[in-house]
Amino acid sequence: MRNMKKTALWAALIAGCDQVIKAVIRRAPQGHVFFRLDGVVEFTHSTNTGAAFSMLSGRTALITALSALLLSALVIFVHRTMRLTRGARAALTCLIGGGVGNLIDRLFFAGVTDYIRILFFRFPVFNLADIMITLSIAALVVLLFTGRMEEPVGERHGSDH
């Protein structure tokens, strides 16, 4: 139970940081550039009404429902899986936090607020929640392929025995 409280706290902190940044971004009109490092990156206000890479653009209700369902399933999985390694729990926590950050946007703003644009190659505009989601998925893939998602039975570290 203690691990679930920590997971919830960290996920809320990630979603909260994401929302604070997006609140600042949303104060400016679409397309406004806040910062630019020529040829590298710019921070600009953009809204994505689709999913990753603007897939299903304009289908916000469908994407919102799917996101809520997947996040709910993920939270249940984390809560029920007691033998997760610290790395797996951290990756899943980041995935939940990023997912919640983008879900809040879909629920209250009818699209996800994006603001980071890479300038040295063509790539969609993204945000902190997207970074957390992407990094956590990459970490989970590595953990799955290396067999480090769950601790072996009898080797739980940091638990309240």
Side-chain angles (χ1 to χ4, degrees):
M1 187 58 103
R2 185 170 155 238
N3 279 337
M4 195 60 203
K5 286 182 181 179
K6 282 172 130 177
T7 298
L9 179 64
W10 280 104
L13 183 63
I14 291 166
C17 288
D18 176 66
Q19 285 301 304
V20 166
I21 295 167
K22 290 174 179 176
V24 171
I25 298 298
R26 281 191 292 268
R27 290 178 180 221
Q30 289 280 331
H32 176 77
V33 176
F34 292 85
F35 171 82
R36 181 181 180 99
L37 184 57
D38 285 333
V40 181
V41 68
E42 74 179 13
F43 287 9
T44 182
H45 184 183
S46 178
T47 302
N48 179 4
T49 60
F53 306 105
S54 297
M55 291 185 296
L56 299 173
S57 211
R59 307 285 307 266
T60 305
L62 173 65
I63 297 166
T64 302
L66 287 173
S67 296
L69 182 66
L70 290 172
L71 276 169
S72 298
L74 188 57
V75 168
I76 291 167
F77 171 79
V78 171
H79 181 66
R80 289 188 177 173
T81 308
M82 303 309 280
R83 295 185 354 218
L84 290 172
T85 62
R86 283 186 178 172
R89 186 167 294 279
L92 290 165
T93 298
C94 290
L95 183 57
I96 292 168
V100 168
N102 281 344
L103 180 61
I104 290 168
D105 280 16
R106 288 188 178 98
L107 286 170
F108 296 101
F109 304 104
V112 174
T113 301
D114 289 325
Y115 50 89
I116 303 169
R117 174 173 285 140
I118 302 297
L119 300 175
F120 51 89
F121 65 92
R122 193 170 174 88
F123 195 78
V125 183
F126 56 97
N127 60 48
L128 176 64
D130 296 335
I131 294 169
M132 302 307 321
I133 291 166
T134 302
L135 291 177
S136 64
I137 290 172
L140 288 168
V141 167
V142 169
L143 291 168
L144 278 169
F145 281 113
T146 59
R148 295 187 176 150
M149 280 294 291
E150 290 186 347
E151 294 177 359
V153 177
E155 293 188 28
R156 290 181 61 204
H157 301 289
S159 64
D160 298 330
H161 293 303

